């Protein structure tokens, strides 16, 4: 059995399809030949939509509360830079959220 990683986007899409029958019906091998939507350009566009949705949800959740940003950077074993970004704030109920 030859298992090869096809990239994060396609691997996540496969994982999602394995858990959701509706998604599995329309993606990857089951997608119409001219509508696979897996090119790099489409992947970037989809990720931009996800990013805007996440940003919008974070802004809505924080509202007018005070917040701080925590940023940490390190190298992993392969010497690639990894950065973590955390938004910390107090929600409307008075609980600290990250």
């Amino acid at each position: 059995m030859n298992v090869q990683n096809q990239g994060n986007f396609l691997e996540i899409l496969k994982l999602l399809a394995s858990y959701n029958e509706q998604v599995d019906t329309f993606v990857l091998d089951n997608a119409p030949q001219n509508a696979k939507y897996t090119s790099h350009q489409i992947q970037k566009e989809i990720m931009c939509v996800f990013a805007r949705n996440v940003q919008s949800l974070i802004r809505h959740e924080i509202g007018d509360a005070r917040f701080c940003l925590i940023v940490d950077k390190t190298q992993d074993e392969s010497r690639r830079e990894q950065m973590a970004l955390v938004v910390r704030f107090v929600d409307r109920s008075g609980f600290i959220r990250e």
Side-chain angles (χ1 to χ4, degrees), residues 1-55:
M1 183 164 92
N2 184 10
V3 177
Q4 185 177 4
N5 185 325
Q6 296 181 322
N8 291 342
F9 182 83
L10 293 177
E11 294 299 323
I12 289 172
L13 195 55
K14 285 182 197 176
L15 180 66
L16 181 60
S18 73
Y19 282 93
N20 189 314
E21 192 174 305
Q22 289 178 318
V23 172
D24 188 44
T25 303
F26 296 105
V27 298
L28 301 174
D29 294 334
N30 297 329
Q33 287 204 336
N34 62 345
K36 292 196 184 290
Y37 303 113
T38 56
S39 72
H40 291 293
Q41 181 180 354
I42 295 295
Q43 290 178 27
K44 287 179 183 180
E45 289 179 25
I46 290 171
M47 295 310 293
C48 284
V49 169
F50 287 163
R52 280 194 302 269
N53 286 342
V54 168
Q55 290 170 349

Side-chain angles (χ1 to χ4, degrees), residues 72-84:
D72 188 22
K73 181 180 81 165
T74 188
Q75 286 184 349
D76 64 10
E77 290 180 6
S78 65
R79 303 178 85 71
R80 296 183 83 185
E81 294 285 333
Q82 301 288 319
M83 183 173 70

Side-chain angles (χ1 to χ4, degrees), residues 11 88 96:
E11 294 299 323
R88 189 170 194 187
I96 295 174

